[in-house]
Amino acid sequence: MTQTTRVAAGIASVAAGAALAIWSTRSLRDAKRAPTPGKHVAAARAFNHGSALLALSVLADSAMEHYRGSFENPAMYLPPVVALCSLGAALHGGADQRAASHRLRHAIQICGAATGATGTVFHLYNVTRRPGGLTWHNLFYGAPAGAPFALVLSGVLGAIAEQLRDEPEHDPQLFGMPAGKALALVAGAGLLGTAAEAALLHFRGSFQHPAMYAPVTVVPVGSALLAHAALALPRHAARASAFARWWLRLTAALGFAGLGFHANGVARAHGGWRNWSQNLFAGPPLPAPPSFSALALAGLAALRMRETER
């Protein structure tokens, strides 16, 4: 792949993002907004916000990592472009107060989830085809198997938000159960998946800093508490929800604190931020920790909706 082709692909990605942003602005300007959006619309917008934060994380991470891989495979251009489109769709949905889904947004988010799932298969294939096959060494230093999972989550959150908008306000349902319960279970599963990816990478780093234990302890507990709040009996619901809400706020703060820790890790490398062009690739990934915050915010929105179902 020539340098000219890479530059052209980068320009095309920026142009696509700009076009989507212009379209989003005009569409929202002309839309008729409901004066008081229902609880399901508020939850949908919160899920759009979580989807946007995840898409931004994937956009930065995949662009950096695939650039480091010199875009050896043309398919490596696809995740950043799809993540950029998912980001635009999620931001548009987060600002949209209408109680109706948007077909283009919905299609973009489904495409994002499918791209993430395909990327997971590609990354696992990359690991297994290395000498030794599926070993700890190859899981540590091959294509990160869990990285495309964030794009899957971004697409899933965005698609669920669109589906939720079409539900009746008085009794929204998802997957055959009350919407708040379903949303809490989805957010909890996402938290567990991101914690597993952090556990693998921090184990590779030998947990050399005590703070590296936080994602593999705080986040799984948040996932469990969210599931418990979703499934709790009515007499225990209030207490379970209150404790889960407090813990999810802690998880959200942990995501942004992790960004600071990773930035400090880059600064501690030889040359620090003055040598950013090398240390950003060699140091801990900056875009990774905010995924915890995105899913924690989605979980909080699910809990707010779950409380109205009691």
Side-chain angles (χ1 to χ4, degrees), residues 105-197:
R105 285 201 314 251
H106 202 173
I108 289 174
Q109 299 294 11
I110 291 176
C111 179
T115 302
T118 304
T120 302
V121 174
F122 268 109
H123 282 208
L124 286 173
Y125 173 72
N126 175 271
V127 170
T128 56
R129 67 191 292 266
R130 294 163 69 93
L134 193 61
T135 63
W136 284 113
H137 182 274
N138 290 339
L139 282 173
F140 290 152
Y141 298 105
F149 184 66
L151 186 55
V152 174
L153 288 175
S154 175
V156 167
L157 293 186
I160 287 177
E162 296 304 318
Q163 185 178 348
L164 184 59
R165 290 173 185 270
D166 288 334
E167 291 294 313
E169 180 179 353
H170 65 280
D171 186 26
Q173 300 279 317
L174 285 174
F175 313 120
M177 63 182 76
K181 180 178 181 180
L183 296 176
L185 292 175
V186 169
L191 281 171
L192 198 60
T194 52
E197 172 70 5

Side-chain angles (χ1 to χ4, degrees), residues 14-34:
V14 173
L20 186 60
I22 293 172
W23 166 79
S24 299
T25 303
R26 290 181 177 177
S27 179
L28 284 179
R29 185 185 303 162
D30 299 334
K32 293 181 179 179
R33 303 176 184 276

